[in-house]
Amino acid sequence: RHLPGDGNRGAPSGGLYAFVLAAAGRRAALAQAAAWTFSYLLYIVYTTVQVVYELLPQVLPGERPYRALLALLIPVGIAAVMIAGRAAALLVIGVIAAAPVVLGGILDGITVSHLSLPASSFGLSAPAGSFASAGARSSLLYICAGLPLFLGGELARPGPTLRRGLIGAYLVTVVIVVLAVAPLAAAPGLAHTDVPGFELTAQFASTGLARTIGVGIALSVGGVILCEYLALTRLAAAVGGWATRRAAIVIGATIVAAAPLSLIDPDGFYDTLARPSLVALWISQVIVFAAFPRFALRRGLRLLPALALSARSEEHTSELQSHHD
């Protein structure tokens, strides 16, 4: 059975919304979806500004004269990919996802071969307050791990596939990140640069490779934007019964229309949008994790982290349909 407006095969595409719907009912699910949508729409808009005005100038100094043009064209390109359809979007996302894995492996080789990896790298040397603050900021990275749950409608067997994919991707990412970051304990100066991977590669390899790493970082951010865009279209289908192409056009029109506003004051534009976006994101995630105990109790599950098990909600399509109706 399909959710209204979802033409995909036998599973909802609502992601975290579908999880909250199964756990706590439609009212809580709509609150979560509203906060999540608000947050990610803002994120797509202000992250483009961050890439153009903060990231790329660090790795491609010649980009500065073209920043305004890029700030206008990148949203158009992102919207064009998503409006082109599911096959085109997934192909582009897949290519972008593969590139950081390759570049991450290269960066791992550079760090491990030029810097030591002592056991002390894994110890806590910073004050407790600084460690807690850094941990809170880095936790935002894990929130993005909920994006694959919105692909349930694209899969024949969403539950098992999503669980295996999440676990496998997490483990691969952990290895890549730890090997790239842990050795920086031996070179704290490199850890505090604007783009650490770029600076490290430039010092121990070559400027050309460093710029490739930097562009790869920018592309990976673009890949996350595409994943968020795709998730928003699937959420619109699950909540409002929108066709995904229609949702893609509306979202694309929104981000393209917002792009010229960023040219007025890029720094102010970013600062103005980032805070409400992050607040809304935290609210949406609080609803998800608050709903998990009820989800677990209703299904006799152990109280493990919600994200690891929330893919199971994709297997309860009939129940989700009755809630939705």
Side-chain angles (χ1 to χ4, degrees):
R1 295 171 64 185
H2 306 286
L3 288 175
D6 186 354
N8 297 312
R9 295 171 293 174
S13 295
L16 298 177
Y17 162 81
F19 169 74
V20 178
L21 182 63
R26 182 167 173 80
R27 183 173 298 179
L30 288 175
Q32 191 278 333
W36 194 94
T37 299
F38 177 77
S39 172
Y40 273 103
L41 274 176
L42 292 184
Y43 181 92
I44 290 173
V45 173
Y46 76 71
T47 302
T48 300
V49 175
Q50 182 187 33
V51 169
V52 172
Y53 286 90
E54 294 185 21
L55 176 56
L56 286 180
Q58 302 294 327
V59 299
L60 296 174
E63 175 263 359
R64 291 181 183 274
Y66 307 101
R67 287 187 297 184
L69 182 61
L70 287 173
L72 296 176
L73 291 182
I74 290 177
V76 173
I78 290 172
V81 169
M82 295 305 304
I83 294 172
R86 180 176 65 177
L90 293 179
L91 176 61
V92 173
I93 291 172
V95 172
I96 292 177
V101 173
V102 175
L103 294 175
I106 294 172
L107 184 60
D108 288 346
I110 294 172
T111 55
V112 172
S113 61
H114 290 88
L115 299 173
S116 61
L117 188 60
S120 60
S121 299
F122 301 95
L124 177 60
S125 58
S130 299
F131 180 78
S133 176
R137 289 195 299 269
S138 65
S139 67
L140 292 172
L141 299 173
Y142 296 96
I143 290 176
C144 293
L147 293 175
L149 299 176
F150 291 86
L151 290 172
E154 326 299 318
L155 303 169
R157 301 178 65 245
T161 303
L162 286 173
R163 285 199 299 273
R164 288 195 297 266
L166 284 170
I167 293 171
Y170 179 79
L171 293 176
V172 171
T173 303
V174 166
V175 172
I176 292 175
V177 172
V178 168
L179 290 179
V181 173
L184 293 179
L190 290 173
H192 293 89
T193 57
D194 292 329
V195 188
F198 172 80
E199 299 291 346
L200 185 145
T201 307
Q203 179 172 326
F204 294 117
S206 68
T207 302
L209 181 57
R211 287 178 177 169
T212 301
I213 295 287
V215 172
I217 294 171
L219 284 175
S220 69
V221 175
V224 174
I225 291 175
L226 286 172
C227 289
E228 291 161 354
Y229 193 148
L230 185 147
L232 284 169
T233 65
R234 276 35 180 183
L235 181 60
V239 175
W242 286 31
T244 52
R245 180 67 61 84
R246 176 190 175 194
I249 292 172
V250 171
I251 295 168
T254 301
I255 65 175
V256 170
L261 300 177
S262 69
L263 302 180
I264 300 173
D265 179 13
D267 291 335
F269 187 83
Y270 175 86
D271 294 337
T272 299
L273 297 187
R275 185 176 296 275
S277 174
L278 293 176
V279 170
L281 182 59
W282 279 112
I283 291 173
S284 72
Q285 298 304 310
V286 166
I287 295 173
V288 172
F289 281 86
F292 178 67
R294 184 176 179 183
F295 178 83
L297 290 173
R298 291 174 68 178
R299 289 169 175 77
L301 303 175
R302 292 175 295 175
L303 294 179
L304 296 175
L307 186 58
L309 293 172
S310 59
R312 292 190 65 166
S313 67
E314 302 287 358
E315 298 173 348
H316 299 277
T317 311
S318 296
E319 182 174 345
L320 293 176
Q321 177 69 60
S322 64
H323 277 296
H324 195 93
D325 293 340

